[in-house]
RNA sequence: GCGCCUGUAGCUCAGUCGGAUAGAGCAACUGCCUUCUAAGCAGUGGGUCAGGGGUUCGAAUCCCUUCAGGCGCGCCA
């Protein structure tokens, strides 16, 4: 609909003999302003140095395909308001019902390959709420983009090498000894969460006191591997419960084992972005706008944390993707310039990697902050929150906010509101439609072939509004895709549900009038199609009854 | 000190690329179940868009500045 209007207006603007500017088309605030509007005449006023209303008149006069519209009005300072003809609107609605993919999927992606990396939590503890937000947003974005015709791969980067997993192993080793009655000190900066003891108990269960006499040198590797693998298993389990799956799990270890860390640094060296100073090896990230150069190999010969990240991003960039997306917690924002520098130093355009930040989640309980420290083991896990308030409610809370807004997640409020949560409002609309359809079936009404219904019978103002809202899904969808903002879908669904609930409440769908019933059922069918599409994108369940 | 994010109704948040009279939900208050599900519907009240300046036909939106909150600024990971 928008695309069509865009084309029509551009055609009409050609008459001015100037380069055609970007034509803005928007949904007017009020129904009386028509279906779509453009302020184009006002923007042109500056260039053409003519009064906006005069320009608007010229544009309207030049519009060729007048039969698409019921009326075209010039309003206010120079808006052109378009109201589409009923016939055109019905034909669009018919497309929606008949071939949802043709209607819903503006093929923006055109089969382009895109990789989205998200969550990527260290396997040194269970997922917490912040990971949950990244997971909800990442999954929804993936669904959104694949719905728009991209080929999306979801990747989880596993930090299974380096100091943190070793420290995890050591922490478990210490706890293991202590549980066996051996006096063994826990590492000062080690992990202290409840799960450390759980892992230690698992070792005892599976291996008894086999490692009781062992030194950390002998047993360290075993404990590290055992522990992080168990943690990773738990992370996968938590994600599964949250309804999120990944296509690939890229291991950091593997990058080391395949020599990619070394190779990537050599690669940069050949490109003259690596140098030695003060006994360390540096990456010249300042060449691409970073504040300072970054150490990749320390004086003691060890790689920094940054080194495998270079290898990892080189690994991604070498794969056949048209675009890469990293979703990070906002606390890592300082890391962006150096990673972008890596991409550019390797000869890829900056735009090939897009880093999206998801802002922090602070957890409250009854208005008071809950201390979150992974090391000290004081934190509420994602699983606990899901168990307490439900997966759909939790996801909905994450997806009704812009990713860059700071989120205060109050457990008490979430729990109290879980019954009042808007997610149920939207799901309920779907459940009611199912119920209406089963009622219709009981009445012996043929509920097949909705697209053949006579939409002309849908003459109530509420029905017109709903139809137009349904058609507006195209714009909401397209906007969400282009901006990479799944939360727009969430708000759209709430608005649609907000129109549908009053409708069925006030007007019976199944009546004695067979033709009208059929038309209204078709409208319900269209609403259901759009709701389900939104649910799929957001990763929400669509219960048939509630 | 420097950088990133945020500040909109009592609370939680939307607000498209600068457009028309700033919107939802929750909370509060009034009504509505003999009907296809009351997780619903109808209605009421609630605003210095943090403050100040600027840009222009037009600013919650863009620029400058002040204030407030969060996060980040290691040869840590």
């Amino acid at each position: 609909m928008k695309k069509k209007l865009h084309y029509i207006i551009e055609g009409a603007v050609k008459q001015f003999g100037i380069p055609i500017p970007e034509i803005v088309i928007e949904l007017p605030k009020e129904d009386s302003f028509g279906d779509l509007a453009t302020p184009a005449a006002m923007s042109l006023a500056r260039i053409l140095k003519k009064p906006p209303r005069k320009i608007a008149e010229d544009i309207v006069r030049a519009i060729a395909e007048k039969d698409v519209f019921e009326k075209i009005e010039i309003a206010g300072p120079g808006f052109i308001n378009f109201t589409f003809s009923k016939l055109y609107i019905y034909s669009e609605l018919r497309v929606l019902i008949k071939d949802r993919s043709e209607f819903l999927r503006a093929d923006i992606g055109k089969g382009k390959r895109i990789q989205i990396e998200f969550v990527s939590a260290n396997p040194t503890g269970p997922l917490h709420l912040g990971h949950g937000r990244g997971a909800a947003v990442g999954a929804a974005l993936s669904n959104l983009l694949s719905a728009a015709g991209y080929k999306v791969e979801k990747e989880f980067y596993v930090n299974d090498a380096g100091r943190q997993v070793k420290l995890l192993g050591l922490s478990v080793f210490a706890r293991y000894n202590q549980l066996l009655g051996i006096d063994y000190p826990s590492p000062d900066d080690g992990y202290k969460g409840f799960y450390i003891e759980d892992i230690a108990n698992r070792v005892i269960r599976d291996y008894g006191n086999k490692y009781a006499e062992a030194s950390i040198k002998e047993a360290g590797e075993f404990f590290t591997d055992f522990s992080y693998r168990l943690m990773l298993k738990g992370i996968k389990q938590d994600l599964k419960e949250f309804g999120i799956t990944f296509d690939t799990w890229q291991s950091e270890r593997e990058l080391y084992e395949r020599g990619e860390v070394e190779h990537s640094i050599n690669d940069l060296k050949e490109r003259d972005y690596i140098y030695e100073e003060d006994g360390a090896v540096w990456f010249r990230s300042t060449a691409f706008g970073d504040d300072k150069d970054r150490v990749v190999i320390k004086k003691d010969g060890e790689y920094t944390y940054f080194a495998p990240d270079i290898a990892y991003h080189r690994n991604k960039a070498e794969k056949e993707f048209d675009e890469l997306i990293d979703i990070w917690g906002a606390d890592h924002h300082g890391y962006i310039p150096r990673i972008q520098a890596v991409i550019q130093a390797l000869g890829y355009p900056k735009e090939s990697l897009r880093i999206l930040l998801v802002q922090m989640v602070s957890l409250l309980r009854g208005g008071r902050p809950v201390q979150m420290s992974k090391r000290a083991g004081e934190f509420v896990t994602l699983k606990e929150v899901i168990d307490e308030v439900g997966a759909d409610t939790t996801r909905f809370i994450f997806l009704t906010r812009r990713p860059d807004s700071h989120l205060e997640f109050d457990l008490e409020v979430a729990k109290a509101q879980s019954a009042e949560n808007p997610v149920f409002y939207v799901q309920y609309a779907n459940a009611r439609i199912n119920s209406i359809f089963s009622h219709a079936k009981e009445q012996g009404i043929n509920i097949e072939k909705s697209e053949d219904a006579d939409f002309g019978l849908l003459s109530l103002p509420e029905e017109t509004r709903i139809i137009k809202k349904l058609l507006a899904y195209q714009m909401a969808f397209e906007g969400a895709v282009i901006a990479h903002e799944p939360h727009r879908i969430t708000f759209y669904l709430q608005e649609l549900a907000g129109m549908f609930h009053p409708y069925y409440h006030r007007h019976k769908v199944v009546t004695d009038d067979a033709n009208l019933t059929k038309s209204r059922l078709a409208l319900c069918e269209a609403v259901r199609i759009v709701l389900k599409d939104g649910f799929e994108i957001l990763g929400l369940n669509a219960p048939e009854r509630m």
Side-chain angles (χ1 to χ4, degrees):
Chain A
M1 207 158 84
K2 183 184 175 187
K3 214 174 273 175
K4 176 121 189 154
L5 182 61
H6 207 274
Y7 175 79
I8 290 171
I9 297 174
E10 278 194 349
V13 168
K14 274 184 193 150
Q15 61 172 309
F16 299 117
I18 53 163
I20 295 172
E22 180 112 1
I23 306 289
V24 175
I25 293 171
E26 56 200 17
L27 286 171
K29 285 187 176 176
E30 278 191 42
D31 293 347
S32 63
F33 294 154
D35 301 329
L36 289 175
T38 179
M42 274 129 52
S43 339
L44 285 167
R46 203 169 310 166
I47 305 167
L48 297 170
K49 298 200 164 57
K50 283 200 281 188
R53 288 193 73 106
K54 172 85 177 54
I55 295 169
E57 280 166 28
D58 292 343
I59 292 175
V60 172
R61 201 173 304 124
I63 286 172
E65 303 175 60
K66 288 224 167 58
D67 53 331
V68 175
F69 306 102
E70 189 179 288
K71 73 183 171 192
I72 304 172
E73 282 180 330
I74 298 165
F79 289 98
I80 309 175
N81 297 333
F82 299 88
T83 305
F84 286 88
S85 72
K86 288 270 192 307
L87 227 57
Y88 182 74
I89 284 172
Y90 296 153
S91 73
E92 287 284 292
L93 184 60
R94 195 160 284 120
V95 172
L96 192 165
I97 295 171
K98 206 168 166 184
D99 188 350
R100 53 189 300 191
S101 61
E102 186 182 335
F103 175 80
L104 298 170
R105 315 285 188 237
D107 188 17
I108 303 164
K110 298 190 172 61
K112 273 197 212 154
R113 298 197 53 191
I114 190 160
Q115 189 211 53
I116 306 184
E117 181 223 327
F118 59 108
V119 187
S120 299
N122 278 347
T124 54
L127 296 177
H128 56 65
L129 212 49
H131 297 128
R133 186 178 192 184
V137 170
L141 181 61
S142 303
N143 295 336
L144 180 67
L145 294 181
S146 37
Y150 289 92
K151 284 204 161 63
V152 180
E153 181 183 294
K154 294 176 284 182
E155 178 155 286
F156 187 116
Y157 177 51
V158 185
N159 291 104
D160 51 5
R163 216 178 89 82
Q164 290 309 312
V165 282
K166 277 190 193 138
L167 189 59
L168 173 72
L170 183 57
S171 304
V172 173
F173 180 64
R175 199 79 197 93
Y176 169 79
N177 275 293
Q178 291 159 11
L179 287 171
L180 292 176
I182 298 161
D183 185 27
Y184 196 99
S186 295
D188 292 341
D189 51 354
Y191 293 95
K192 297 182 176 62
F194 60 91
Y195 57 93
I196 297 299
E197 190 166 319
D198 292 349
I199 305 171
N201 274 318
R202 283 287 287 268
V203 178
I204 291 173
R205 197 190 75 190
D206 295 355
Y207 298 90
N209 58 1
K210 184 178 172 189
Y211 298 95
E213 302 295 322
S215 69
I216 182 64
K217 203 160 191 178
E218 293 160 342
E221 199 176 311
F222 166 79
F223 274 89
T224 297
D225 287 7
F226 186 91
S227 304
Y228 95 74
R229 284 192 183 131
L230 200 62
M231 285 291 100
L232 195 57
K233 212 174 145 191
I235 287 172
K236 288 186 186 180
Q237 182 59 36
D238 289 354
L239 287 169
K240 198 178 157 196
E241 272 181 47
F242 203 32
I244 288 165
T245 56
F246 283 86
D247 302 310
T248 53
W249 299 73
Q250 176 60 53
S251 149
E252 179 185 5
R253 248 173 214 224
E254 222 174 273
L255 296 175
Y256 275 111
E257 282 162 7
R258 290 200 301 244
E260 290 192 36
V261 177
E262 200 184 331
H263 291 155
S264 60
I265 292 172
N266 285 339
D267 192 344
L268 289 174
K269 196 169 190 173
E270 278 166 28
R271 294 165 190 269
D272 202 27
Y273 292 114
I274 292 286
Y275 64 93
E276 285 189 38
E277 199 174 288
D278 300 334
V281 177
W282 299 72
F283 169 57
R284 204 186 306 279
S285 55
T286 48
F288 302 96
D290 197 5
D291 296 338
K292 46 186 132 180
D293 291 342
R294 306 292 171 175
V295 173
V296 290
I297 303 175
K298 295 185 271 182
K299 211 183 266 177
D300 64 8
E302 295 274 313
Y303 287 113
T304 60
Y305 176 82
F306 179 44
D309 274 345
I310 295 175
Y312 176 50
H313 282 86
R314 177 170 171 268
N315 173 290
K316 289 189 197 214
E318 281 177 350
K319 290 178 181 164
E320 300 276 303
F321 291 110
D322 297 294
E323 191 183 339
L324 301 171
I325 297 178
D326 283 8
I327 299 182
W328 293 355
D331 50 344
H332 290 89
H333 75 264
Y335 221 70
I336 294 174
R338 76 190 75 167
I339 293 295
Q340 289 287 14
V342 168
I343 290 292
Q344 292 171 85
L346 291 169
Y348 299 98
K350 195 179 175 192
E351 301 74 46
S352 59
L353 172 68
R354 192 197 295 232
I355 300 174
L356 302 178
L357 294 179
V358 176
Q359 272 297 340
M360 304 282 89
V361 179
S362 46
L363 190 69
L364 307 176
R365 194 181 276 279
R368 302 177 62 166
V370 177
Q371 286 306 316
M372 298 278 271
S373 163
K374 195 168 180 183
R375 289 282 179 81
E378 291 166 5
F379 63 95
V380 178
T381 64
L382 175 63
K383 183 178 163 40
E384 288 173 281
V385 175
I386 295 173
D387 290 346
E388 215 169 315
V389 307
D392 280 349
T393 304
T394 305
R395 280 183 88 139
F396 208 80
I397 290 172
F398 288 138
L399 294 171
T400 40
R401 284 155 171 83
R402 288 187 347 265
D404 52 6
S405 70
H406 300 256
L407 168 55
E408 290 196 341
F409 197 110
D410 193 315
L411 278 169
E412 297 301 322
V413 175
K415 240 196 316 185
Q417 282 190 359
S418 63
E420 307 292 329
N421 194 282
V423 71
F424 298 112
Y425 184 78
V426 182
Q427 288 176 327
Y428 189 52
N430 182 66
R432 288 302 296 260
I433 294 172
N434 282 315
S435 158
I436 289 168
F437 269 94
S438 40
H439 176 73
K441 208 172 175 183
E442 278 167 25
Q443 303 293 309
I445 294 162
N446 175 17
I447 55 173
E448 308 289 311
K449 292 213 167 192
S450 299
E451 71 268 22
D452 294 341
D454 180 3
F455 298 127
L457 299 175
L458 300 173
S459 54
L460 294 167
E462 291 100 314
E463 290 167 334
T464 308
R465 280 190 77 206
I466 292 173
I467 292 170
K468 288 180 178 176
K469 189 68 186 173
L470 287 168
L471 300 185
Y473 184 63
Q474 277 179 331
M475 285 176 76
F477 179 81
E478 195 183 309
V481 171
I482 289 167
H484 288 37
E485 289 180 349
H487 77 272
R488 296 191 193 196
I489 303 291
T490 321
F491 282 93
Y492 171 85
L493 291 182
Q494 290 189 69
E495 286 162 16
L496 179 61
M499 289 183 185
F500 187 69
H501 281 300
Y503 171 63
Y504 71 69
H505 191 267
R506 188 175 289 179
H507 307 286
K508 297 280 280 186
V509 172
V510 180
T511 63
D512 295 338
D513 183 336
N515 287 327
L516 182 63
T517 299
K518 188 160 189 191
S519 301
R520 289 188 172 170
L521 282 172
L523 181 62
C524 289
E525 178 64 25
V527 173
R528 179 160 69 178
I529 287 169
V530 171
L531 286 177
K532 279 204 162 171
D533 197 76
F535 288 150
E536 271 169 34
I537 289 169
L538 301 177
L540 299 170
N541 291 302
E544 303 233 325
R545 55 184 59 247
M546 292 173 72

